[in-house]
Amino acid sequence: MSDKKATLKIDGIDEPIDLPIYSGTLGPDVLDVGGLTGKGLFTYDPGFVSTASCESQITFIDGGKGVLLHRGYPIEQLAEHSDYLETCYLLLYGELPTAEQKASFVGTVHKHTMVHEQIRTFFNGFRRDAHPMAIMCGVVGALSAFYHDSLEISDEHHRQIAAFRLIAKMPTLAAMSYKFSIGQPFMYPDNSLSYAENFLHMMFGNPCEPSNISPVLATAMDRIFLLHADHEQNASTSTVRLAGSSGANPFACIAAGIAALWGPSHGGANEAVLEMLQEIGDVSRIDEFVERAKDKNDPFRLMGFGHRVYKNFDPRAKVMKESADEVLAELGIDDPMLEIAKRLEEIALSDEYFIEKKLYPNVDFYSGIILKAMGIPTSMFTVIFAVGRTVGWIAHWNEMISGSYRIGRPRQLYTGYTQRDFTPLDQRKPAG
Ligand code: CMC
């Protein structure tokens, strides 16, 4: 890759240690620290702030400049000219499809939208008031119990079928998890509809009436899926890679990714944004919440602000904001919650604390607003993120499995007890 190297001089070790440096096509050089183990040393980087965990050709982010590229194409161009399934093809195969390749890919996704009929029965094991993300963690993992013919991870054909099944069935399962929670019958997919239309049909349709899907909402939904499609080695994608590195099947790996996504620091933030706006309740209380966010002794954070990688405007957030404005104007929505969101954005963007720490509104801030305007229930926000991100998870998992990889096995800085002898039960005293 490169003949550059760094030389490390460590107190107490006579010989300097040479560490190779690799250059990618974009982004900072990386230091290969693999050789340190042989010298009795590990590196220490909690939160993986400066650790490249793998080599990848799928997505590139320059957080300082606010750049996001999928296979080299800027997210803004994809959002304007492409659609979700075409972007899925790009992420999976590395190139934009020809018209023929696109038609074939879309056709195959459409053919896989139905789920095994016994999965309907499986849903009955959940409590009626289960959170849809809890259902998704369980049901997606359970797909491995239903589709035994796509579990052989060393077989490229099996991996392809698993990819199609996951991309195609996620909207069906997502809509089922919502229908289950409101006690309505599950809707079968309608394969004559586009990916986003079909999702809205299964979410909001019912068997007694023809579905009436707004083209404005379908376009906005497609864009939301597209903007969430991939984001390089984020927490959930890294989780999928780590689970996959042990040789686990793709459905189990994606279920692990869904679990990692659920947290409020990651995909759960879009739901948390709406909960926060509801808690603020009125424009007059915004200052109070901004002050709390700045208080070191208060664990409260402004949800939808800040990002580990972006120290500039998240380019997805820019596009999402435009979409939010379009949807709100088209639908003529007048919601006090949106007024609070707009004011909060203005205040945070001009506040010294947020400016200094480079805490910009992130994609979840605007996706929460737009999904609310579209009439999507708050509990489904993170599920929708998971539907869109499935292709990214699968693309990274497939990239890893089809290349050379080792089981992911981080080390630690141990600060617990040194070795001590077992104390018999009758001689123990309360600790401390
Ligand atoms: N409100 C108030 N202060 C914040 C916020 C916030 N939302 N985010 C970061 N800070 C402060 C933080 O307290 C710290 O201050 P100090 O340097 O004085 O200790 C500084 O900014 C750096 O924060 P950090 O926690 O070290 O940064 P991180 O990279 O570990 O965390 C984050 C990134 C996204 C988890 C964090 O910004 C956060 O909790 N944001 C709110 C949750 C959110 O919106 N998450 C969605 C992320 S975008 C969607 C996705 O890709 O998943």
Side-chain angles (χ1 to χ4, degrees), residues 306-364:
H307 198 276
R308 165 61 63 79
V309 180
Y310 293 118
K311 301 302 168 199
N312 201 321
F313 232 99
D314 175 343
R316 303 169 301 167
K318 271 191 197 158
V319 181
M320 198 71 90
K321 180 176 160 54
E322 280 167 25
S323 266
D325 290 343
E326 273 164 35
V327 169
L328 297 185
E330 290 260 2
L331 300 179
I333 304 274
D334 183 20
D335 184 332
M337 213 60 70
L338 302 173
E339 188 47 41
I340 298 174
K342 277 196 171 154
R343 219 27 225 129
L344 186 61
E345 179 199 12
E346 274 167 29
I347 292 174
L349 284 175
S350 57
D351 188 288
E352 202 40 52
Y353 173 92
F354 289 85
I355 293 170
E356 191 208 315
K357 293 188 188 299
K358 300 190 166 56
L359 299 171
Y360 291 85
N362 58 46
V363 70
D364 284 326

